[in-house]
Amino acid sequence: MIIYKDIVSGDEMFSDAYKIKEVDDYFYELEGKITTEKGGIDESAIGGNASAEDAVEGLEESSKTGCNIVIAQRLQETQYTKEQYKIYIKGYNKSEMLEHLTKNNPDRVSDFKTAAAAGMKKVLGNFKNWQFFTGEKMDPDGMVALMDYREDGVTPYMLFFKDGLEEEKCGYLVTMSVKEPFRVEDLLVSVRELQKVSQQHRQISVLYNKMVETLKIAKHKVDQSQQMADKQEQVNQEKRASLTELNSSIEQEVQRQRQYSREFETQLDELTDASHHAWLYFKAESIEKELKDLEAMKTEAERLAEQQEEEVSALTERLNGVKLQQGIDTSMDELQEDIISYEMQQNLYRMFYEENEMVHGLQTAINTTYNVLQNKLQRLRQWENPDADSQDWSMCGTDEGESRSPVTAHSATADQTIQQEEGTKCTGNIEVEERQEARLGV
């Protein structure tokens, strides 16, 4: 007889007493039948008298109905969800069968991989109809056989993984020796205890198998969580690097803005000082003084213009008189000294005409400047300027209580400008007077 054992747990899964069929180069298919096995003991077979044993109570005959393969091999049923079974079969194919073939039958590895893919597709495609059975030891790492029913719904058949089994040939030798007589009561007590222990063992095995499967699922979840945590940590590192770079950029921008603020404050202080000095220069008193000077220059220019017009008129009358005298009597010796040549007359006329034009241009410029200054003075008078004695120069950069002289570099420059303008005016008056003296000399 050939017994097929699980390569992991060593449990006997089935024997050649059943009809074995190879399917898809991946499974062994065995067809079974539904049977009922009684768990009681036939006392007559061991010399007991059932009617004489009425005093022995509590022994109940038990029976078990199911597939004859499961009952004969003491296979233990277990449960899987589809996700749990995927985790189990991937690990069993790779860690158990593939490693076993690599060590013991490497030529089978390539065919096994191809057959395993097709076999798993078949199992998962009909997953809801399968029942799952482990060996007697219920080893969670061992083989899990599959059971389903034919189209008639009555005939069961089972699938075992071909490459997860090893064959063992053996023979049976049954011998019995009785050294001393034994009592039926002792045997019945022993059977009861054995049944209790067997039942407890099955319950513990089922519980243990469920715990192992739960641990496998938990380990898978932990691995997934660890992978997610690693990915999240990598993302966090990238974000921390981005934040560090952003903080550096912000700090640089803050430093730049502070530098711009300091430069702006410096420029504002300079502008405030310049505004203060300009106010000192263009205040009402300075404008009024300049207007008075311009009025005086205007009056002087008008006087000179009138004087030149009178002189031009007198000279014109004189020239006309000379022409008449030349026409009447050109031989008079006493008038030779007063006779002026025509060329000299033209020169004198041109000279007086140019001076007259210059005086008129100067007068026009003075009037224009006067009007501009009048407008400025009018606007300044509309301002509400603080009193000069109580002026608060804190806005101009001067500390409270510090006496600041209004005479600064700007005011000095302004005074120099005024002096240059007055000097220019005086120079213009001197030139006009020199021209008058030269004309009178002629």
Side-chain angles (χ1 to χ4, degrees):
M1 178 180 287
I2 299 177
I3 297 175
Y4 294 86
K5 293 184 176 183
D6 184 2
I7 59 175
V8 177
S9 65
D11 289 335
E12 296 180 6
M13 304 302 291
F14 60 92
S15 68
D16 59 356
Y18 307 96
K19 184 178 178 180
I20 301 173
K21 177 182 176 181
E22 185 175 321
V23 179
D24 298 331
D25 196 26
Y26 186 62
F27 299 106
Y28 281 142
E29 181 182 291
L30 282 71
E31 185 172 303
K33 60 182 179 178
I34 300 299
T35 60
T36 299
E37 182 179 292
K38 294 183 179 181
I41 299 175
D42 188 1
E43 297 177 359
S44 60
I46 55 174
N49 188 353
S51 62
E53 302 294 335
D54 293 336
V56 180
E57 298 179 356
L59 179 60
E60 299 178 355
E61 293 186 358
S62 61
S63 62
K64 187 174 184 181
T65 301
C67 179
N68 61 336
I69 303 173
V70 174
I71 295 173
Q73 303 303 137
R74 294 183 291 278
L75 302 181
Q76 305 297 322
E77 187 174 5
T78 184
Q79 302 292 330
Y80 283 99
T81 64
K82 193 170 185 178
E83 295 298 326
Q84 292 173 346
Y85 187 75
K86 284 181 180 180
I87 297 172
Y88 158 75
I89 196 60
K90 287 180 181 179
Y92 184 71
N93 281 338
K94 183 177 180 180
S95 301
E96 305 301 341
M97 289 194 289
L98 186 59
E99 289 184 2
H100 177 74
L101 291 174
T102 303
K103 294 178 181 179
N104 300 283
N105 189 9
D107 296 335
R108 167 68 181 161
V109 171
S110 178
D111 295 337
F112 167 76
K113 291 181 179 180
T114 303
M120 287 302 98
K121 185 176 180 181
K122 177 179 179 180
V123 172
L124 296 175
N126 192 32
F127 183 82
K128 62 181 181 179
N129 294 330
W130 295 111
Q131 291 179 258
F132 304 96
F133 295 89
T134 64
E136 185 179 8
K137 297 178 183 177
M138 300 188 70
D139 189 337
D141 296 325
M143 181 184 296
V144 177
L146 306 169
M147 189 182 79
D148 195 5
Y149 292 86
R150 301 293 186 188
E151 289 78 0
D152 59 8
V154 176
T155 305
Y157 69 94
M158 298 191 70
L159 296 179
F160 297 86
F161 301 110
K162 170 185 173 181
D163 297 290
L165 299 168
E166 58 183 1
E167 299 177 2
E168 181 179 323
K169 294 182 179 181
C170 65
Y172 289 97
L173 178 61
V174 179
T175 60
M176 179 177 292
S177 61
V178 179
K179 297 182 179 180
E180 58 183 13
F182 56 90
R183 296 185 306 168
V184 176
E185 291 83 358
D186 296 336
L187 180 59
L188 294 176
V189 171
S190 298
V191 170
R192 288 177 181 174
E193 293 178 355
L194 180 61
Q195 287 178 343
K196 291 181 181 179
V197 171
S198 178
Q199 185 178 4
Q200 292 176 356
H201 173 72
R202 284 195 298 271
Q203 293 176 353
I204 293 172
S205 298
V206 171
L207 181 61
Y208 173 76
N209 187 46
K210 291 182 179 179
M211 292 178 63
V212 169
E213 295 301 328
T214 304
L215 289 174
K216 285 184 178 180
I217 296 172
K219 184 177 181 301
H220 180 69
K221 296 293 184 182
V222 168
D223 293 339
Q224 289 181 342
S225 300
Q226 184 62 39
Q227 292 177 359
M228 294 177 62
D230 294 339
K231 292 180 181 179
Q232 187 64 36
E233 179 62 25
Q234 184 178 0
V235 173
N236 292 339
Q237 289 179 358
E238 294 175 356
K239 290 184 178 180
R240 282 194 289 267
S242 300
L243 288 175
T244 302
E245 184 178 356
L246 182 60
N247 289 333
S248 178
S249 301
I250 292 174
E251 183 64 25
Q252 293 178 0
E253 184 64 24
V254 168
Q255 295 296 333
R256 235 184 345 261
Q257 293 298 330
R258 288 177 179 173
Q259 181 65 25
Y260 291 158
S261 178
R262 287 192 290 269
E263 293 177 358
F264 176 76
E265 290 176 356
T266 302
Q267 293 175 0
L268 184 61
D269 292 339
E270 294 177 355
L271 184 60
T272 304
D273 292 339
S275 175
H276 169 62
H277 297 311
W279 183 82
L280 291 177
Y281 176 71
F282 290 105
K283 63 183 180 178
E285 291 80 359
S286 300
I287 299 297
E288 289 178 355
K289 182 178 180 300
E290 189 171 355
L291 285 174
K292 290 178 180 179
D293 294 340
L294 287 174
E295 288 177 354
M297 292 175 61
K298 179 180 178 182
T299 303
E300 182 66 20
E302 290 176 351
R303 186 185 65 79
L304 291 176
E306 292 176 356
Q307 184 178 355
Q308 287 182 357
E309 287 179 357
E310 292 176 357
E311 292 177 356
V312 169
S313 299
L315 182 59
T316 302
E317 293 177 356
R318 186 178 177 184
L319 289 175
N320 292 331
V322 171
K323 290 181 180 179
L324 291 174
Q325 289 178 1
Q326 286 181 351
I328 297 172
D329 188 5
T330 59
S331 61
M332 296 178 65
D333 295 335
E334 64 274 9
L335 295 176
Q336 292 296 325
E337 295 179 357
D338 295 333
I339 296 174
I340 301 175
S341 65
Y342 179 75
E343 183 178 359
M344 184 177 293
Q345 292 176 11
Q346 293 293 329
N347 291 334
L348 288 173
Y349 180 79
R350 188 181 300 108
M351 180 186 67
F352 282 109
Y353 182 78
E354 291 177 355
E355 288 183 356
N356 189 35
E357 290 294 328
M358 181 186 68
V359 170
H360 280 290
L362 180 61
Q363 186 176 3
T364 302
I366 291 172
N367 289 332
T368 303
T369 305
Y370 178 79
N371 293 330
V372 172
L373 292 176
Q374 282 286 0
N375 292 331
K376 290 183 179 180
L377 179 60
Q378 185 177 1
R379 288 196 299 270
L380 287 173
R381 285 174 177 172
Q382 293 176 355
W383 293 352
E384 295 181 0
N385 292 325
D387 188 18
D389 295 334
S390 62
Q391 180 69 33
D392 183 9
W393 300 111
S394 60
M395 296 298 293
C396 300
T398 307
D399 295 334
E400 184 179 359
E402 180 182 356
S403 60
R404 181 170 180 176
S405 175
V407 182
T408 59
H410 293 280
S411 61
T413 305
D415 294 341
Q416 292 177 2
T417 304
I418 295 173
Q419 291 176 3
Q420 289 177 2
E421 292 178 355
E422 292 177 352
T424 303
K425 297 173 185 176
C426 294
T427 304
N429 294 335
I430 293 172
E431 290 179 355
V432 173
E433 292 176 357
E434 289 179 352
R435 289 180 182 178
Q436 291 177 355
E437 291 176 358
R439 183 185 60 195
L440 294 176
V442 174

